[in-house]
Coordinates of all heavy atoms in Angstrom, one line a residue:
V1 N -2.0 -7.4 3.4 CA -1.2 -7.0 2.3 C 0.3 -6.9 2.7 O 0.5 -6.2 3.7 CB -1.7 -5.7 1.6 CG1 -0.8 -5.4 0.4 CG2 -3.2 -5.8 1.3
E2 N 1.2 -7.6 2.0 CA 2.6 -7.6 2.4 C 3.3 -6.5 1.6 O 3.1 -6.3 0.4 CB 3.2 -8.9 2.1 CG 4.7 -9.0 2.6 CD 5.4 -10.3 2.4 OE1 4.5 -11.2 1.9 OE2 6.5 -10.6 2.7
I3 N 4.1 -5.7 2.4 CA 4.9 -4.7 1.7 C 6.3 -4.7 2.2 O 6.7 -5.2 3.1 CB 4.3 -3.2 2.0 CG1 4.4 -2.8 3.5 CG2 2.8 -3.1 1.6 CD1 4.1 -1.4 3.8
D4 N 7.2 -4.2 1.3 CA 8.7 -4.0 1.7 C 8.8 -2.5 1.5 O 8.5 -1.8 0.5 CB 9.6 -4.6 0.7 CG 9.5 -6.2 0.8 OD1 9.2 -6.6 2.1 OD2 9.7 -6.9 -0.2
I5 N 9.4 -1.9 2.6 CA 9.7 -0.4 2.5 C 11.2 -0.3 2.5 O 12.0 -0.7 3.4 CB 9.2 0.3 3.8 CG1 7.7 0.2 4.0 CG2 9.6 1.8 3.7 CD1 7.2 1.0 5.1
Y6 N 11.8 0.4 1.4 CA 13.2 0.6 1.2 C 13.4 2.1 1.7 O 12.8 3.0 1.1 CB 13.6 0.5 -0.3 CG 13.3 -0.9 -0.9 CD1 12.1 -1.3 -1.2 CD2 14.4 -1.7 -1.0 CE1 11.9 -2.6 -1.8 CE2 14.2 -3.0 -1.5 CZ 13.0 -3.4 -1.9 OH 12.7 -4.7 -2.4
T7 N 14.2 2.2 2.7 CA 14.6 3.5 3.4 C 16.0 3.8 3.3 O 16.8 3.0 3.8 CB 14.0 3.5 4.8 OG1 12.7 3.0 4.8 CG2 14.1 4.9 5.4
P8 N 16.4 5.0 2.8 CA 17.8 5.3 2.9 C 18.2 5.5 4.4 O 17.4 6.2 5.1 CB 17.9 6.6 2.1 CG 16.6 6.7 1.2 CD 15.6 5.9 2.0
E9 N 19.4 5.1 4.7 CA 19.9 5.4 6.0 C 20.2 6.9 6.3 O 20.6 7.7 5.5 CB 21.1 4.7 6.3 CG 21.0 3.1 6.7 CD 22.2 2.4 7.2 OE1 23.3 3.1 7.0 OE2 22.2 1.3 7.6
G10 N 20.1 7.2 7.6 CA 20.6 8.5 8.0 C 19.7 9.8 7.6 O 20.3 10.9 7.5
I11 N 18.5 9.5 7.4 CA 17.6 10.7 7.2 C 17.4 11.4 8.5 O 17.1 11.0 9.5 CB 16.2 10.2 6.8 CG1 16.2 9.4 5.5 CG2 15.2 11.4 6.6 CD1 14.9 8.8 5.0
L12 N 17.7 12.8 8.3 CA 17.7 13.8 9.4 C 16.4 14.4 9.6 O 16.0 14.9 10.7 CB 18.8 14.8 9.2 CG 20.3 14.2 9.1 CD1 21.3 15.3 8.9 CD2 20.6 13.4 10.4
G13 N 15.6 14.5 8.5 CA 14.3 15.2 8.5 C 14.4 16.6 7.9 O 13.3 17.2 7.7
N14 N 15.6 17.1 7.7 CA 15.7 18.3 7.0 C 15.9 18.2 5.5 O 16.0 19.2 4.8 CB 16.8 19.3 7.6 CG 18.2 18.6 7.6 OD1 18.2 17.4 7.2 ND2 19.2 19.3 8.0
E15 N 15.9 17.0 5.0 CA 16.1 16.8 3.6 C 14.7 16.9 2.9 O 13.7 17.0 3.6 CB 16.6 15.4 3.2 CG 17.9 15.1 4.0 CD 17.8 14.4 5.3 OE1 16.7 14.5 5.9 OE2 18.8 13.8 5.7
K16 N 14.7 17.1 1.5 CA 13.5 16.9 0.9 C 13.1 15.3 0.7 O 13.8 14.6 0.1 CB 13.5 17.5 -0.6 CG 12.1 17.4 -1.3 CD 12.3 17.9 -2.7 CE 12.2 19.4 -2.6 NZ 12.1 20.0 -4.0
I17 N 12.0 14.9 1.4 CA 11.7 13.5 1.5 C 10.6 13.2 0.5 O 9.6 13.8 0.5 CB 11.3 13.0 2.9 CG1 12.4 13.2 3.9 CG2 10.9 11.6 3.0 CD1 12.2 13.1 5.2
E18 N 10.8 12.3 -0.4 CA 9.9 11.8 -1.4 C 9.5 10.4 -1.3 O 10.1 9.6 -0.5 CB 10.4 12.2 -2.8 CG 10.9 13.7 -3.1 CD 11.3 14.0 -4.3 OE1 12.1 13.5 -5.0 OE2 10.5 14.9 -4.8
L19 N 8.3 10.1 -1.9 CA 7.8 8.8 -1.5 C 7.2 8.1 -2.9 O 6.7 8.8 -3.7 CB 6.6 8.9 -0.6 CG 5.8 7.5 -0.4 CD1 6.6 6.5 0.4 CD2 4.6 7.9 0.5
L20 N 7.7 6.9 -3.1 CA 7.2 6.1 -4.2 C 6.5 4.9 -3.9 O 7.2 4.0 -3.1 CB 8.3 5.8 -5.2 CG 8.1 4.9 -6.4 CD1 7.0 5.5 -7.5 CD2 9.4 4.4 -7.1
L21 N 5.3 4.6 -4.4 CA 4.6 3.3 -4.3 C 4.9 2.5 -5.5 O 4.8 3.1 -6.6 CB 3.2 3.5 -3.9 CG 2.7 4.3 -2.8 CD1 1.2 4.3 -2.7 CD2 3.4 4.0 -1.5
L22 N 5.2 1.3 -5.4 CA 5.3 0.4 -6.5 C 4.4 -0.8 -6.4 O 4.4 -1.6 -5.4 CB 6.7 -0.2 -6.6 CG 7.8 0.8 -7.2 CD1 9.2 0.3 -7.1 CD2 7.6 1.1 -8.7
N23 N 3.4 -1.0 -7.4 CA 2.6 -2.2 -7.5 C 3.6 -3.4 -7.8 O 4.6 -3.2 -8.5 CB 1.6 -2.1 -8.5 CG 0.3 -1.4 -7.8 OD1 0.0 -1.6 -6.7 ND2 -0.6 -0.9 -8.8
D24 N 3.0 -4.7 -7.6 CA 3.8 -5.9 -8.0 C 5.1 -5.9 -7.3 O 6.2 -6.0 -7.9 CB 4.0 -6.0 -9.5 CG 2.6 -6.6 -10.1 OD1 2.1 -7.5 -9.5 OD2 2.3 -6.2 -11.2
G25 N 5.1 -5.7 -5.9 CA 6.3 -5.6 -5.2 C 7.0 -7.0 -5.2 O 8.3 -7.0 -5.0
Q26 N 6.4 -8.1 -5.6 CA 7.0 -9.4 -5.7 C 7.9 -9.3 -6.8 O 9.0 -10.0 -6.9 CB 6.0 -10.5 -5.9 CG 5.3 -10.6 -7.2 CD 4.1 -9.4 -7.3 OE1 3.9 -8.9 -6.3 NE2 3.5 -9.4 -8.5
D27 N 7.7 -8.4 -7.9 CA 8.8 -8.3 -8.9 C 9.9 -7.4 -8.5 O 11.0 -7.6 -8.9 CB 8.1 -7.9 -10.2 CG 7.2 -8.8 -10.9 OD1 7.4 -10.0 -10.6 OD2 6.3 -8.4 -11.5
V28 N 9.6 -6.4 -7.7 CA 10.7 -5.5 -7.2 C 11.6 -6.4 -6.5 O 12.8 -6.2 -6.5 CB 10.1 -4.4 -6.3 CG1 11.2 -3.6 -5.8 CG2 9.1 -3.5 -7.1
A29 N 11.0 -7.3 -5.7 CA 11.9 -8.3 -4.7 C 13.0 -9.1 -5.6 O 14.0 -9.5 -5.1 CB 11.2 -9.2 -3.9
K30 N 12.6 -9.2 -6.9 CA 13.5 -10.0 -7.8 C 14.6 -9.2 -8.4 O 15.6 -9.6 -9.1 CB 12.7 -10.6 -9.0 CG 11.6 -11.6 -8.5 CD 10.7 -12.0 -9.7 CE 9.6 -12.9 -9.2 NZ 8.7 -13.2 -10.4
M31 N 14.5 -7.8 -8.3 CA 15.6 -6.9 -8.6 C 16.6 -6.7 -7.6 O 16.3 -6.9 -6.4 CB 14.9 -5.6 -9.0 CG 13.8 -5.6 -10.0 SD 13.1 -3.9 -10.2 CE 11.6 -4.3 -11.4
D32 N 17.6 -6.0 -8.0 CA 18.7 -5.7 -7.1 C 18.3 -4.2 -6.7 O 19.0 -3.2 -7.0 CB 20.1 -5.7 -7.7 CG 21.1 -5.5 -6.7 OD1 20.9 -5.3 -5.5 OD2 22.3 -5.5 -7.0
F33 N 17.1 -4.1 -6.1 CA 16.5 -2.8 -5.9 C 17.3 -1.9 -4.9 O 17.3 -0.6 -5.1 CB 15.0 -2.9 -5.5 CG 14.3 -1.6 -5.7 CD1 13.9 -1.1 -7.0 CD2 14.0 -0.8 -4.6 CE1 13.2 0.1 -7.1 CE2 13.4 0.5 -4.8 CZ 13.0 0.8 -6.1
S34 N 17.8 -2.5 -3.9 CA 18.4 -1.7 -2.9 C 19.7 -1.0 -3.5 O 20.0 0.3 -3.4 CB 19.0 -2.5 -1.6 OG 17.9 -2.9 -0.9
R35 N 20.4 -1.7 -4.5 CA 21.5 -1.2 -5.2 C 21.0 0.0 -6.1 O 21.7 1.1 -6.2 CB 22.3 -2.2 -6.0 CG 23.4 -1.6 -6.8 CD 23.9 -2.6 -7.8 NE 22.8 -3.1 -8.7 CZ 22.4 -2.5 -9.8 NH1 23.0 -1.3 -10.0 NH2 21.5 -3.0 -10.6
I36 N 20.0 -0.2 -6.8 CA 19.4 0.8 -7.6 C 19.1 2.0 -6.9 O 19.4 3.2 -7.4 CB 18.1 0.3 -8.4 CG1 18.4 -0.8 -9.4 CG2 17.4 1.4 -9.1 CD1 17.2 -1.5 -10.0
L37 N 18.5 1.9 -5.8 CA 18.1 3.1 -5.0 C 19.4 3.8 -4.3 O 19.4 5.0 -4.3 CB 17.1 2.7 -3.8 CG 16.3 3.9 -3.2 CD1 15.6 4.7 -4.2 CD2 15.4 3.3 -2.2
E38 N 20.3 2.9 -3.9 CA 21.6 3.5 -3.4 C 22.3 4.3 -4.5 O 22.8 5.4 -4.2 CB 22.5 2.4 -2.9 CG 22.0 1.8 -1.6 CD 22.8 0.5 -1.2 OE1 23.6 0.1 -2.0 OE2 22.5 -0.1 -0.3
E39 N 22.4 3.8 -5.7 CA 23.0 4.5 -6.8 C 22.2 5.8 -7.2 O 22.8 6.7 -7.6 CB 23.2 3.6 -8.0 CG 24.1 2.4 -7.8 CD 24.4 1.5 -9.0 OE1 23.6 1.9 -10.0 OE2 25.2 0.6 -8.9
A40 N 20.8 5.8 -7.0 CA 20.1 7.0 -7.3 C 20.4 8.0 -6.4 O 20.3 9.3 -6.9 CB 18.6 6.5 -7.4

C-alpha cells in the first residue's frame, strides 16, 4: 500500500501533534495539498 506523509517542518515535540488519514490518496496528490496544509 503506497502512502504519502505530509509533515510540517521544524516539529520540536512540545507542540500538540495531530494526525489525519485520508483515503484515496491518489486524489490528494492531484491537489495542491502542501500549500493547503501550509496555509492551515
Side-chain angles (χ1 to χ4, degrees):
V1 179
E2 185 177 359
I3 66 171
D4 291 327
I5 301 181
Y6 296 82
T7 308
E9 277 189 354
I11 297 178
L12 300 175
N14 58 351
E15 304 93 341
K16 179 180 283 189
I17 299 174
E18 303 192 297
L19 177 65
L20 171 64
L21 307 185
L22 281 172
N23 272 337
D24 280 319
Q26 71 281 357
D27 287 338
V28 178
K30 298 173 185 175
M31 303 178 185
D32 192 359
F33 194 77
S34 291
R35 177 191 58 79
I36 291 173
L37 198 54
E38 287 169 3
E39 291 183 356

